[in-house]
Amino acid sequence: MAKRLVSGCLLSLVVIFSCLLVLGTPPALAGLDDDRFDGNIFGLYAGNGSIVPPRVTLADSLKQEKPALLVFYVDDSKDCKQFAPVVSRLQAPYGRAANFIAVNVDRLLLKSSYEPTEPGYYYEGLVPQTVLIDQKGKVVLNETGQVSFERVDDVFRQVFDLLPREESVELRRRQINEFSSELTNGK
């Protein structure tokens, strides 16, 4: 009986201590509008963690003669956090035809010089920086800061010889529950 009482008291103390620990934990301090680190910005703010790490290197993309979109970023930048959804939105229509290479500048190897097959060759010291390299290895877009979806889309359309946005069907993602919605409509 005494053992039950002692184990019951110990269990109660553990539960009380756990509750105090949980209640005493401060909420997350990072957010979209600050320069605090809170994890992979593409997964958190763009809903697309597949961008990081990149599937191919810049050297491989150039060998394949496939366009590459380099996005230089850091995870603790308000501007990069706000730009992440634009990159994800661009990947939806162009992700199979072009390689998306997100480059965390905190992980760039510091060297005195880089080859054109290395992302560091194109980095200008500011984030976010967006560089689009066409199939022939020519830089067709190089801008820093917030770049609109439309601006990058226009250059992608030139690279792939597509109609201007005003003359073509809007590029958009499929509905996530396309199959489920068909089932609910009685099919």
mmCIF file of all heavy atoms in Angstrom, residues 32-75:
data_model
loop_
_atom_site.group_PDB
_atom_site.id
_atom_site.type_symbol
_atom_site.label_atom_id
_atom_site.label_comp_id
_atom_site.label_asym_id
_atom_site.label_seq_id
_atom_site.Cartn_x
_atom_site.Cartn_y
_atom_site.Cartn_z
ATOM 1 N N LEU A 32 7.515 35.719 -40.289
ATOM 2 C CA LEU A 32 7.719 36.154 -41.666
ATOM 3 C C LEU A 32 8.283 37.568 -41.763
ATOM 4 O O LEU A 32 9.006 37.894 -42.693
ATOM 5 C CB LEU A 32 6.383 36.069 -42.423
ATOM 6 C CG LEU A 32 6.386 36.452 -43.891
ATOM 7 C CD1 LEU A 32 7.289 35.519 -44.686
ATOM 8 C CD2 LEU A 32 4.980 36.401 -44.451
ATOM 9 N N ASP A 33 7.980 38.406 -40.788
ATOM 10 C CA ASP A 33 8.370 39.813 -40.857
ATOM 11 C C ASP A 33 9.555 40.171 -39.972
ATOM 12 O O ASP A 33 9.662 41.295 -39.494
ATOM 13 C CB ASP A 33 7.167 40.690 -40.500
ATOM 14 C CG ASP A 33 6.059 40.559 -41.525
ATOM 15 O OD1 ASP A 33 6.369 40.464 -42.721
ATOM 16 O OD2 ASP A 33 4.883 40.537 -41.117
ATOM 17 N N ASP A 34 10.442 39.212 -39.725
ATOM 18 C CA ASP A 34 11.635 39.517 -38.936
ATOM 19 C C ASP A 34 12.846 38.780 -39.496
ATOM 20 O O ASP A 34 12.725 37.966 -40.394
ATOM 21 C CB ASP A 34 11.419 39.182 -37.458
ATOM 22 C CG ASP A 34 11.136 37.715 -37.218
ATOM 23 O OD1 ASP A 34 11.818 36.860 -37.812
ATOM 24 O OD2 ASP A 34 10.227 37.404 -36.432
ATOM 25 N N ASP A 35 13.990 39.098 -38.963
ATOM 26 C CA ASP A 35 15.243 38.498 -39.424
ATOM 27 C C ASP A 35 15.749 37.436 -38.454
ATOM 28 O O ASP A 35 16.952 37.263 -38.281
ATOM 29 C CB ASP A 35 16.312 39.587 -39.603
ATOM 30 C CG ASP A 35 16.016 40.500 -40.772
ATOM 31 O OD1 ASP A 35 15.463 40.012 -41.770
ATOM 32 O OD2 ASP A 35 16.339 41.696 -40.690
ATOM 33 N N ARG A 36 14.846 36.698 -37.855
ATOM 34 C CA ARG A 36 15.234 35.626 -36.944
ATOM 35 C C ARG A 36 15.185 34.285 -37.668
ATOM 36 O O ARG A 36 14.361 34.074 -38.545
ATOM 37 C CB ARG A 36 14.294 35.588 -35.745
ATOM 38 C CG ARG A 36 14.424 36.805 -34.861
ATOM 39 C CD ARG A 36 13.611 36.607 -33.589
ATOM 40 N NE ARG A 36 13.641 37.794 -32.792
ATOM 41 C CZ ARG A 36 12.600 38.601 -32.605
ATOM 42 N NH1 ARG A 36 11.441 38.320 -33.159
ATOM 43 N NH2 ARG A 36 12.705 39.669 -31.861
ATOM 44 N N PHE A 37 16.051 33.380 -37.239
ATOM 45 C CA PHE A 37 16.084 32.040 -37.818
ATOM 46 C C PHE A 37 14.970 31.190 -37.213
ATOM 47 O O PHE A 37 14.782 31.173 -36.010
ATOM 48 C CB PHE A 37 17.435 31.373 -37.540
ATOM 49 C CG PHE A 37 17.480 29.941 -37.973
ATOM 50 C CD1 PHE A 37 17.647 29.619 -39.309
ATOM 51 C CD2 PHE A 37 17.338 28.918 -37.058
ATOM 52 C CE1 PHE A 37 17.674 28.303 -39.718
ATOM 53 C CE2 PHE A 37 17.365 27.598 -37.463
ATOM 54 C CZ PHE A 37 17.537 27.290 -38.799
ATOM 55 N N ASP A 38 14.235 30.505 -38.069
ATOM 56 C CA ASP A 38 13.246 29.556 -37.564
ATOM 57 C C ASP A 38 13.148 28.301 -38.423
ATOM 58 O O ASP A 38 12.188 27.574 -38.336
ATOM 59 C CB ASP A 38 11.870 30.200 -37.385
ATOM 60 C CG ASP A 38 11.382 30.953 -38.595
ATOM 61 O OD1 ASP A 38 12.150 31.167 -39.520
ATOM 62 O OD2 ASP A 38 10.212 31.356 -38.603
ATOM 63 N N GLY A 39 14.131 28.055 -39.281
ATOM 64 C CA GLY A 39 14.161 26.823 -40.063
ATOM 65 C C GLY A 39 14.206 27.097 -41.553
ATOM 66 O O GLY A 39 14.425 28.216 -41.998
ATOM 67 N N ASN A 40 13.987 26.046 -42.328
ATOM 68 C CA ASN A 40 14.003 26.115 -43.791
ATOM 69 C C ASN A 40 12.885 27.016 -44.275
ATOM 70 O O ASN A 40 11.715 26.697 -44.145
ATOM 71 C CB ASN A 40 13.855 24.696 -44.353
ATOM 72 C CG ASN A 40 13.757 24.649 -45.848
ATOM 73 O OD1 ASN A 40 13.260 25.559 -46.507
ATOM 74 N ND2 ASN A 40 14.217 23.554 -46.409
ATOM 75 N N ILE A 41 13.229 28.143 -44.874
ATOM 76 C CA ILE A 41 12.220 29.125 -45.289
ATOM 77 C C ILE A 41 11.310 28.597 -46.387
ATOM 78 O O ILE A 41 10.162 28.997 -46.479
ATOM 79 C CB ILE A 41 12.863 30.462 -45.722
ATOM 80 C CG1 ILE A 41 13.776 30.287 -46.926
ATOM 81 C CG2 ILE A 41 13.568 31.110 -44.556
ATOM 82 C CD1 ILE A 41 14.284 31.582 -47.522
ATOM 83 N N PHE A 42 11.816 27.698 -47.224
ATOM 84 C CA PHE A 42 10.983 27.173 -48.308
ATOM 85 C C PHE A 42 9.916 26.231 -47.770
ATOM 86 O O PHE A 42 8.789 26.233 -48.231
ATOM 87 C CB PHE A 42 11.846 26.509 -49.379
ATOM 88 C CG PHE A 42 12.747 27.482 -50.065
ATOM 89 C CD1 PHE A 42 14.089 27.561 -49.757
ATOM 90 C CD2 PHE A 42 12.237 28.371 -51.003
ATOM 91 C CE1 PHE A 42 14.917 28.483 -50.372
ATOM 92 C CE2 PHE A 42 13.048 29.303 -51.632
ATOM 93 C CZ PHE A 42 14.395 29.359 -51.303
ATOM 94 N N GLY A 43 10.260 25.438 -46.783
ATOM 95 C CA GLY A 43 9.281 24.558 -46.154
ATOM 96 C C GLY A 43 8.290 25.320 -45.295
ATOM 97 O O GLY A 43 7.089 25.049 -45.307
ATOM 98 N N LEU A 44 8.769 26.316 -44.558
ATOM 99 C CA LEU A 44 7.905 27.056 -43.640
ATOM 100 C C LEU A 44 7.020 28.092 -44.313
ATOM 101 O O LEU A 44 5.847 28.208 -44.018
ATOM 102 C CB LEU A 44 8.760 27.769 -42.581
ATOM 103 C CG LEU A 44 9.438 26.867 -41.570
ATOM 104 C CD1 LEU A 44 10.429 27.663 -40.735
ATOM 105 C CD2 LEU A 44 8.397 26.221 -40.675
ATOM 106 N N TYR A 45 7.583 28.866 -45.218
ATOM 107 C CA TYR A 45 6.852 30.010 -45.767
ATOM 108 C C TYR A 45 6.358 29.808 -47.199
ATOM 109 O O TYR A 45 5.531 30.558 -47.673
ATOM 110 C CB TYR A 45 7.708 31.273 -45.686
ATOM 111 C CG TYR A 45 8.068 31.594 -44.261
ATOM 112 C CD1 TYR A 45 9.355 31.444 -43.787
ATOM 113 C CD2 TYR A 45 7.087 32.000 -43.365
ATOM 114 C CE1 TYR A 45 9.674 31.718 -42.472
ATOM 115 C CE2 TYR A 45 7.392 32.266 -42.046
ATOM 116 C CZ TYR A 45 8.687 32.124 -41.605
ATOM 117 O OH TYR A 45 8.989 32.386 -40.295
ATOM 118 N N ALA A 46 6.883 28.801 -47.881
ATOM 119 C CA ALA A 46 6.461 28.561 -49.263
ATOM 120 C C ALA A 46 5.729 27.238 -49.406
ATOM 121 O O ALA A 46 5.209 26.937 -50.467
ATOM 122 C CB ALA A 46 7.674 28.585 -50.190
ATOM 123 N N GLY A 47 5.722 26.443 -48.339
ATOM 124 C CA GLY A 47 5.057 25.153 -48.410
ATOM 125 C C GLY A 47 5.729 24.203 -49.379
ATOM 126 O O GLY A 47 5.100 23.322 -49.937
ATOM 127 N N ASN A 48 7.043 24.385 -49.604
ATOM 128 C CA ASN A 48 7.737 23.589 -50.602
ATOM 129 C C ASN A 48 9.155 23.291 -50.136
ATOM 130 O O ASN A 48 10.110 23.910 -50.596
ATOM 131 C CB ASN A 48 7.747 24.338 -51.942
ATOM 132 C CG ASN A 48 8.278 23.494 -53.067
ATOM 133 O OD1 ASN A 48 8.746 22.382 -52.865
ATOM 134 N ND2 ASN A 48 8.216 24.025 -54.265
ATOM 135 N N GLY A 49 9.288 22.346 -49.244
ATOM 136 C CA GLY A 49 10.612 21.976 -48.756
ATOM 137 C C GLY A 49 11.440 21.210 -49.765
ATOM 138 O O GLY A 49 12.616 20.941 -49.534
ATOM 139 N N SER A 50 10.862 20.862 -50.916
ATOM 140 C CA SER A 50 11.597 20.079 -51.916
ATOM 141 C C SER A 50 12.653 20.909 -52.647
ATOM 142 O O SER A 50 13.491 20.352 -53.341
ATOM 143 C CB SER A 50 10.629 19.484 -52.939
ATOM 144 O OG SER A 50 10.093 20.491 -53.772
ATOM 145 N N ILE A 51 12.610 22.203 -52.504
ATOM 146 C CA ILE A 51 13.598 23.058 -53.176
ATOM 147 C C ILE A 51 14.973 22.914 -52.530
ATOM 148 O O ILE A 51 15.993 23.042 -53.188
ATOM 149 C CB ILE A 51 13.127 24.533 -53.172
ATOM 150 C CG1 ILE A 51 11.901 24.674 -54.073
ATOM 151 C CG2 ILE A 51 14.224 25.478 -53.606
ATOM 152 C CD1 ILE A 51 11.285 26.053 -54.096
ATOM 153 N N VAL A 52 14.994 22.624 -51.231
ATOM 154 C CA VAL A 52 16.249 22.510 -50.496
ATOM 155 C C VAL A 52 16.366 21.087 -49.955
ATOM 156 O O VAL A 52 15.437 20.612 -49.319
ATOM 157 C CB VAL A 52 16.288 23.513 -49.329
ATOM 158 C CG1 VAL A 52 17.556 23.370 -48.515
ATOM 159 C CG2 VAL A 52 16.146 24.929 -49.847
ATOM 160 N N PRO A 53 17.453 20.396 -50.175
ATOM 161 C CA PRO A 53 18.591 20.750 -51.006
ATOM 162 C C PRO A 53 18.245 20.578 -52.485
ATOM 163 O O PRO A 53 17.364 19.795 -52.839
ATOM 164 C CB PRO A 53 19.678 19.758 -50.582
ATOM 165 C CG PRO A 53 18.936 18.557 -50.126
ATOM 166 C CD PRO A 53 17.646 19.074 -49.538
ATOM 167 N N PRO A 54 18.965 21.280 -53.350
ATOM 168 C CA PRO A 54 18.695 21.166 -54.786
ATOM 169 C C PRO A 54 18.960 19.737 -55.280
ATOM 170 O O PRO A 54 19.827 19.047 -54.763
ATOM 171 C CB PRO A 54 19.678 22.136 -55.433
ATOM 172 C CG PRO A 54 20.341 22.875 -54.343
ATOM 173 C CD PRO A 54 20.034 22.219 -53.046
ATOM 174 N N ARG A 55 18.213 19.333 -56.297
ATOM 175 C CA ARG A 55 18.376 17.974 -56.838
ATOM 176 C C ARG A 55 19.608 17.843 -57.718
ATOM 177 O O ARG A 55 20.138 16.753 -57.876
ATOM 178 C CB ARG A 55 17.142 17.584 -57.635
ATOM 179 C CG ARG A 55 15.930 17.365 -56.763
ATOM 180 C CD ARG A 55 14.772 16.918 -57.580
ATOM 181 N NE ARG A 55 14.323 18.062 -58.379
ATOM 182 C CZ ARG A 55 13.107 18.219 -58.828
ATOM 183 N NH1 ARG A 55 12.206 17.314 -58.593
ATOM 184 N NH2 ARG A 55 12.776 19.286 -59.523
ATOM 185 N N VAL A 56 20.035 18.938 -58.338
ATOM 186 C CA VAL A 56 21.222 18.907 -59.208
ATOM 187 C C VAL A 56 22.124 20.095 -58.876
ATOM 188 O O VAL A 56 21.686 21.081 -58.309
ATOM 189 C CB VAL A 56 20.847 18.964 -60.713
ATOM 190 C CG1 VAL A 56 20.014 17.784 -61.127
ATOM 191 C CG2 VAL A 56 20.157 20.251 -61.053
ATOM 192 N N THR A 57 23.356 19.976 -59.286
ATOM 193 C CA THR A 57 24.295 21.078 -59.117
ATOM 194 C C THR A 57 24.214 21.983 -60.334
ATOM 195 O O THR A 57 23.681 21.589 -61.382
ATOM 196 C CB THR A 57 25.737 20.557 -58.981
ATOM 197 O OG1 THR A 57 26.106 19.919 -60.207
ATOM 198 C CG2 THR A 57 25.878 19.588 -57.808
ATOM 199 N N LEU A 58 24.755 23.157 -60.219
ATOM 200 C CA LEU A 58 24.801 24.066 -61.355
ATOM 201 C C LEU A 58 25.630 23.452 -62.481
ATOM 202 O O LEU A 58 25.255 23.537 -63.654
ATOM 203 C CB LEU A 58 25.362 25.428 -60.937
ATOM 204 C CG LEU A 58 25.534 26.443 -62.062
ATOM 205 C CD1 LEU A 58 24.196 26.722 -62.765
ATOM 206 C CD2 LEU A 58 26.123 27.732 -61.518
ATOM 207 N N ALA A 59 26.731 22.817 -62.147
ATOM 208 C CA ALA A 59 27.575 22.180 -63.164
ATOM 209 C C ALA A 59 26.783 21.135 -63.943
ATOM 210 O O ALA A 59 26.869 21.066 -65.173
ATOM 211 C CB ALA A 59 28.807 21.558 -62.513
ATOM 212 N N ASP A 60 25.996 20.324 -63.241
ATOM 213 C CA ASP A 60 25.176 19.307 -63.908
ATOM 214 C C ASP A 60 24.118 19.948 -64.800
ATOM 215 O O ASP A 60 23.855 19.481 -65.900
ATOM 216 C CB ASP A 60 24.507 18.384 -62.889
ATOM 217 C CG ASP A 60 25.499 17.469 -62.197
ATOM 218 O OD1 ASP A 60 26.598 17.245 -62.748
ATOM 219 O OD2 ASP A 60 25.169 16.979 -61.092
ATOM 220 N N SER A 61 23.508 21.003 -64.318
ATOM 221 C CA SER A 61 22.483 21.689 -65.098
ATOM 222 C C SER A 61 23.071 22.256 -66.386
ATOM 223 O O SER A 61 22.462 22.147 -67.453
ATOM 224 C CB SER A 61 21.848 22.814 -64.262
ATOM 225 O OG SER A 61 20.764 23.386 -64.948
ATOM 226 N N LEU A 62 24.251 22.825 -66.293
ATOM 227 C CA LEU A 62 24.909 23.370 -67.484
ATOM 228 C C LEU A 62 25.290 22.251 -68.461
ATOM 229 O O LEU A 62 25.161 22.413 -69.673
ATOM 230 C CB LEU A 62 26.132 24.199 -67.089
ATOM 231 C CG LEU A 62 25.828 25.495 -66.315
ATOM 232 C CD1 LEU A 62 27.111 26.106 -65.760
ATOM 233 C CD2 LEU A 62 25.086 26.480 -67.180
ATOM 234 N N LYS A 63 25.742 21.108 -67.937
ATOM 235 C CA LYS A 63 26.064 19.960 -68.791
ATOM 236 C C LYS A 63 24.825 19.454 -69.521
ATOM 237 O O LYS A 63 24.903 19.054 -70.681
ATOM 238 C CB LYS A 63 26.645 18.815 -67.956
ATOM 239 C CG LYS A 63 28.090 18.953 -67.616
ATOM 240 C CD LYS A 63 28.555 17.749 -66.824
ATOM 241 C CE LYS A 63 29.833 18.031 -66.095
ATOM 242 N NZ LYS A 63 30.185 16.965 -65.154
ATOM 243 N N GLN A 64 23.695 19.465 -68.833
ATOM 244 C CA GLN A 64 22.434 18.993 -69.424
ATOM 245 C C GLN A 64 21.850 20.012 -70.405
ATOM 246 O O GLN A 64 20.862 19.723 -71.062
ATOM 247 C CB GLN A 64 21.395 18.739 -68.324
ATOM 248 C CG GLN A 64 21.742 17.674 -67.348
ATOM 249 C CD GLN A 64 20.816 17.695 -66.120
ATOM 250 O OE1 GLN A 64 19.913 18.519 -66.006
ATOM 251 N NE2 GLN A 64 21.051 16.772 -65.199
ATOM 252 N N GLU A 65 22.456 21.188 -70.453
ATOM 253 C CA GLU A 65 21.949 22.305 -71.253
ATOM 254 C C GLU A 65 20.495 22.601 -70.896
ATOM 255 O O GLU A 65 19.635 22.782 -71.751
ATOM 256 C CB GLU A 65 22.117 22.023 -72.751
ATOM 257 C CG GLU A 65 23.567 21.947 -73.160
ATOM 258 C CD GLU A 65 23.768 21.736 -74.644
ATOM 259 O OE1 GLU A 65 22.781 21.563 -75.391
ATOM 260 O OE2 GLU A 65 24.940 21.752 -75.064
ATOM 261 N N LYS A 66 20.263 22.661 -69.598
ATOM 262 C CA LYS A 66 18.939 22.934 -69.052
ATOM 263 C C LYS A 66 19.012 24.259 -68.290
ATOM 264 O O LYS A 66 19.976 24.498 -67.562
ATOM 265 C CB LYS A 66 18.564 21.788 -68.100
ATOM 266 C CG LYS A 66 17.134 21.696 -67.740
ATOM 267 C CD LYS A 66 16.879 20.389 -66.982
ATOM 268 C CE LYS A 66 15.417 20.238 -66.665
ATOM 269 N NZ LYS A 66 15.153 18.992 -65.942
ATOM 270 N N PRO A 67 18.024 25.135 -68.457
ATOM 271 C CA PRO A 67 18.057 26.399 -67.716
ATOM 272 C C PRO A 67 18.127 26.156 -66.207
ATOM 273 O O PRO A 67 17.616 25.149 -65.704
ATOM 274 C CB PRO A 67 16.736 27.067 -68.092
ATOM 275 C CG PRO A 67 16.341 26.441 -69.375
ATOM 276 C CD PRO A 67 16.848 25.027 -69.319
ATOM 277 N N ALA A 68 18.752 27.087 -65.513
ATOM 278 C CA ALA A 68 18.877 26.988 -64.060
ATOM 279 C C ALA A 68 18.476 28.314 -63.424
ATOM 280 O O ALA A 68 18.909 29.376 -63.877
ATOM 281 C CB ALA A 68 20.310 26.636 -63.667
ATOM 282 N N LEU A 69 17.642 28.217 -62.411
ATOM 283 C CA LEU A 69 17.291 29.393 -61.625
ATOM 284 C C LEU A 69 18.033 29.280 -60.304
ATOM 285 O O LEU A 69 17.752 28.394 -59.495
ATOM 286 C CB LEU A 69 15.779 29.467 -61.374
ATOM 287 C CG LEU A 69 15.350 30.718 -60.615
ATOM 288 C CD1 LEU A 69 15.407 31.933 -61.542
ATOM 289 C CD2 LEU A 69 13.955 30.564 -60.055
ATOM 290 N N LEU A 70 19.010 30.148 -60.118
ATOM 291 C CA LEU A 70 19.755 30.213 -58.856
ATOM 292 C C LEU A 70 19.055 31.216 -57.958
ATOM 293 O O LEU A 70 18.766 32.340 -58.387
ATOM 294 C CB LEU A 70 21.190 30.676 -59.083
ATOM 295 C CG LEU A 70 22.101 29.811 -59.933
ATOM 296 C CD1 LEU A 70 23.429 30.525 -60.169
ATOM 297 C CD2 LEU A 70 22.343 28.489 -59.256
ATOM 298 N N VAL A 71 18.800 30.820 -56.734
ATOM 299 C CA VAL A 71 18.209 31.723 -55.748
ATOM 300 C C VAL A 71 19.136 31.725 -54.541
ATOM 301 O O VAL A 71 19.264 30.724 -53.842
ATOM 302 C CB VAL A 71 16.789 31.274 -55.338
ATOM 303 C CG1 VAL A 71 16.223 32.206 -54.287
ATOM 304 C CG2 VAL A 71 15.882 31.197 -56.551
ATOM 305 N N PHE A 72 19.810 32.846 -54.340
ATOM 306 C CA PHE A 72 20.705 32.994 -53.195
ATOM 307 C C PHE A 72 19.889 33.525 -52.023
ATOM 308 O O PHE A 72 19.165 34.518 -52.167
ATOM 309 C CB PHE A 72 21.844 33.950 -53.535
ATOM 310 C CG PHE A 72 22.753 33.421 -54.614
ATOM 311 C CD1 PHE A 72 22.543 33.766 -55.944
ATOM 312 C CD2 PHE A 72 23.804 32.588 -54.306
ATOM 313 C CE1 PHE A 72 23.370 33.289 -56.943
ATOM 314 C CE2 PHE A 72 24.644 32.096 -55.299
ATOM 315 C CZ PHE A 72 24.421 32.445 -56.625
ATOM 316 N N TYR A 73 20.023 32.888 -50.868
ATOM 317 C CA TYR A 73 19.194 33.244 -49.722
ATOM 318 C C TYR A 73 19.911 32.923 -48.415
ATOM 319 O O TYR A 73 20.946 32.244 -48.409
ATOM 320 C CB TYR A 73 17.864 32.468 -49.772
ATOM 321 C CG TYR A 73 18.029 31.014 -49.377
ATOM 322 C CD1 TYR A 73 17.726 30.581 -48.085
ATOM 323 C CD2 TYR A 73 18.513 30.075 -50.267
ATOM 324 C CE1 TYR A 73 17.901 29.259 -47.715
ATOM 325 C CE2 TYR A 73 18.680 28.756 -49.911
ATOM 326 C CZ TYR A 73 18.380 28.354 -48.622
ATOM 327 O OH TYR A 73 18.560 27.044 -48.255
ATOM 328 N N VAL A 74 19.355 33.420 -47.328
ATOM 329 C CA VAL A 74 19.703 32.978 -45.972
ATOM 330 C C VAL A 74 18.392 32.743 -45.240
ATOM 331 O O VAL A 74 17.382 33.387 -45.526
ATOM 332 C CB VAL A 74 20.603 33.984 -45.205
ATOM 333 C CG1 VAL A 74 21.995 34.046 -45.804
ATOM 334 C CG2 VAL A 74 19.984 35.352 -45.151
ATOM 335 N N ASP A 75 18.408 31.802 -44.319
ATOM 336 C CA ASP A 75 17.184 31.440 -43.614
ATOM 337 C C ASP A 75 16.722 32.479 -42.604
ATOM 338 O O ASP A 75 15.583 32.445 -42.158
ATOM 339 C CB ASP A 75 17.359 30.090 -42.896
ATOM 340 C CG ASP A 75 17.279 28.910 -43.838
ATOM 341 O OD1 ASP A 75 16.403 28.919 -44.718
ATOM 342 O OD2 ASP A 75 18.089 27.981 -43.697
#
